[in-house]
């Protein structure tokens, strides 16, 4: 009984987290791309070219953000933006010669769900009871 309760609680938490993440990506669709550019600044700054692949909706008005990020990190190379209609609105791919980075919100959510399911499965019936002295 306690294990079923844990699974239900975890699934509810996951659904709530997904709803919050979806709302955040709707409100700030460029935030993951900006965070990636900030995190990868040292790797990107010496590359001769940065290829940014995004959905058409994210590509609209993206040039100023990329120009500002390039200036902030000292990137003097060429920036190319490609549109891919098959990508989710907040998804992106960065290719900077020696490296690459990708973000797909649906794939990220799937990995979180799989990790949670694996943790719950490994816990199984060996978990501590919710109520001390009760059954797991």
């Amino acid at each position: 009984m306690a294990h079923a309760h844990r699974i239900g609680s975890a699934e509810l938490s996951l659904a709530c987290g997904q709803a919050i993440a979806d709302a955040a990506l709707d409100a700030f669709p460029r935030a993951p791309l900006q965070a990636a550019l900030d995190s990868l600044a040292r790797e990107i700054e010496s590359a001769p070219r940065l290829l940014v692949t995004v959905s058409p909706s994210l590509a609209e008005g993206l040039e100023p953000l990329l120009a500002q990020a390039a200036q902030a990190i000292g990137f003097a190379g060429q920036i190319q933006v490609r549109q891919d209609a098959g990508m989710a609105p907040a998804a992106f791919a960065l290719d900077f010669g020696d490296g690459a980075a990708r973000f797909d919100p649906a794939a990220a959510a799937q990995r979180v769900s799989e990790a949670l399911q694996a943790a719950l499965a490994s816990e199984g019936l060996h978990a501590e009871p919710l109520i001390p002295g009760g059954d797991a």
Side-chain angles (χ1 to χ4, degrees):
M1 178 69 134
H3 185 67
H5 177 70
R6 282 185 183 88
I7 290 173
S9 295
E11 289 173 351
L12 177 61
S13 297
L14 189 62
C16 291
Q18 184 62 51
I20 292 167
D22 289 345
L25 288 174
D26 286 345
F28 307 103
R30 292 188 174 106
L33 176 58
Q34 181 66 55
L37 292 170
D38 292 346
S39 295
L40 297 168
R42 295 185 66 125
E43 289 84 357
I44 293 172
E45 71 181 347
S46 61
R49 178 180 64 97
L50 173 62
L51 175 61
V52 182
T53 306
V54 294
S55 68
S57 63
L58 191 60
E60 187 177 319
L62 188 60
E63 299 291 336
L65 172 83
L66 294 173
Q68 180 182 11
Q71 182 179 15
I73 65 173
F75 177 74
Q78 178 186 21
I79 300 175
Q80 294 177 324
V81 177
R82 290 192 185 155
Q83 297 181 25
D84 181 345
M87 294 183 93
F92 64 84
L94 301 175
D95 182 350
F96 43 94
D98 290 339
R102 295 184 168 280
F103 174 68
D104 178 353
Q110 182 63 33
R111 287 190 303 272
V112 169
S113 177
E114 289 169 0
L116 177 63
Q117 295 304 321
L120 288 170
S122 70
E123 178 183 60
L125 299 175
H126 303 291
E128 294 182 23
L130 292 176
I131 301 171
D135 25 336

